[in-house]
Amino acid sequence: MRTSNRVRVGLLASFTALAAVASMGTATAAPATLNGSWAPFSRCPVDDPAMLAADGATDTAICVSSHSASGSIKLGNTEVPVGASDLQVGVVNHPGGTSTVVSPAGGALIADSAKVPGGLLGLMCPNDVPVISGICNTLTDVSLNRVTATIESVNTPTGFQLVAGTTTGKPILTLPVRIHLQNPILGDKCYIGSSSDPILLKPQNATQPAISSEKFAGDGTPDTAGQMNRLNLLGATQTDTTYAVPGTNGCGLLGALNWAVNLKTGLPSASGNNNVTLDGAQTYVATMNKPRDQAPDAGKLLAQYWHSAVR
């Protein structure tokens, strides 16, 4: 039976009304503007208790920053552009090669939104189910069809390996994320993945980065005899093909469109069917030159240096 125009309009009104309900987001601290060699570490969580407690003798605190201007991510049957992304974490290195990763306020990863090619027509249409085909027939308005996708952090990264960042083919860390799909009909709570069932990205260098280092004073000023050191790992293409992708959640009124998006995009999608590429990654690591000389207050001194560089 064909869905009447009245039913189609009613469905569209319901989904659009849902999208109009605003939700409170998690507040994120504004990145600091830092002087000189500290500049890439605008969100390093130097004031986190775990970072402050690093004594410098057994536990050493460092700041890590990685920026990519663009890329792409394939989820099942759908490939989505990736906007500029900024990954920042603190890391406390322990004896025996283990480490604890510390996320800044607002999450480890901040990424720009990107338009999904084909929009909602590409995600759900064509579809021979009357309810969905009824919605598809209303998508003549560009704003209704437009879908943006944003990669968001969930939970805290794990398994950071500094040596992996200097070479190729080894996972640098495990980064749990979800993909936020935004569209008036999908609503504001449509996600691929969740905090309880995230996409676990394990980026690794596909190409060798250019490696260099520089010393600087605590306030970020270049200084060949400075207390701080910055390792620069520049220009690598980073990839991952190992992650699985769960299905969508929260798409449409009470999740009514989850199945339609899953069906068209081929979700859930097992490991080996997905891939991510981050272009020209610029990765930096800030460490104290002689943390043992500052024991047991090396972590506190690192925070003091970072704050002295804030403009």
Side-chain angles (χ1 to χ4, degrees):
M1 178 182 298
R2 296 180 62 187
T3 306
S4 67
N5 287 335
R6 180 176 298 176
V7 172
R8 291 175 182 170
V9 172
L11 287 167
L12 178 60
S14 297
F15 289 122
T16 304
L18 176 69
V21 178
S23 60
M24 295 294 291
T26 301
T28 57
T33 301
L34 301 181
N35 178 56
S37 295
W38 272 117
F41 307 99
S42 59
R43 297 189 295 117
C44 187
V46 293
D47 295 321
D48 186 273
M51 297 281 284
L52 292 171
D55 60 7
T58 56
D59 294 335
T60 306
I62 67 176
C63 294
V64 179
S65 170
S66 186
H67 179 84
S68 175
S70 62
S72 63
I73 184 167
K74 182 176 179 290
L75 310 165
N77 300 328
T78 300
E79 185 166 332
V80 179
V82 173
S85 60
D86 178 69
L87 172 69
Q88 294 195 41
V89 294
V91 178
V92 180
N93 290 319
H94 308 299
T98 61
S99 65
T100 298
V101 181
V102 181
S103 289
L109 183 70
I110 294 178
D112 291 343
S113 299
K115 293 180 181 178
V116 177
L120 200 59
L121 286 169
L123 287 179
M124 296 199 316
C125 312
N127 197 305
D128 59 2
V129 176
V131 171
I132 303 303
S133 60
I135 294 173
C136 293
N137 290 340
T138 69
L139 298 179
T140 55
D141 187 320
V142 173
S143 63
L144 289 180
N145 185 52
R146 184 182 298 116
V147 178
T148 60
T150 310
I151 300 179
E152 299 179 351
S153 281
V154 291
N155 310 324
T156 298
T158 58
F160 174 77
Q161 296 291 331
L162 176 58
V163 173
T166 67
T167 185
T168 61
K170 297 180 179 180
I172 300 168
L173 83 171
T174 298
L175 177 64
V177 301
R178 63 184 180 181
I179 311 296
H180 192 182
L181 301 176
Q182 292 177 287
N183 168 272
I185 294 175
L186 293 178
D188 194 45
K189 297 184 179 297
C190 179
Y191 293 93
I192 301 172
S194 64
S195 58
S196 60
D197 190 14
I199 301 167
L200 297 176
L201 300 180
K202 298 180 180 179
Q204 57 185 266
N205 291 331
T207 59
Q208 181 69 38
I211 302 174
S212 63
S213 65
E214 57 193 74
K215 289 185 178 180
F216 61 99
D219 66 356
T221 304
D223 183 350
T224 57
Q227 306 96 327
M228 296 293 301
N229 185 73
R230 192 178 85 180
L231 178 64
N232 308 314
L233 307 168
L234 307 180
T237 297
Q238 296 182 341
T239 63
D240 181 26
T241 61
T242 65
Y243 60 94
V245 183
T248 57
N249 62 88
C251 300
L253 182 63
L254 301 178
L257 297 181
N258 290 340
W259 66 273
V261 177
N262 287 340
L263 182 64
K264 185 68 185 294
T265 56
L267 300 181
S269 180
S271 172
N273 297 326
N274 318 291
N275 63 74
V276 65
T277 300
L278 300 175
D279 301 322
Q282 310 289 307
T283 302
Y284 305 92
V285 180
T287 67
M288 297 185 68
N289 283 326
K290 298 179 180 180
R292 286 183 176 273
D293 290 353
Q294 308 302 329
D297 298 319
K300 296 181 179 68
L301 186 59
L302 180 73
Q304 179 182 320
Y305 287 159
W306 186 93
H307 284 286
S308 74
V310 175
R311 294 180 181 176

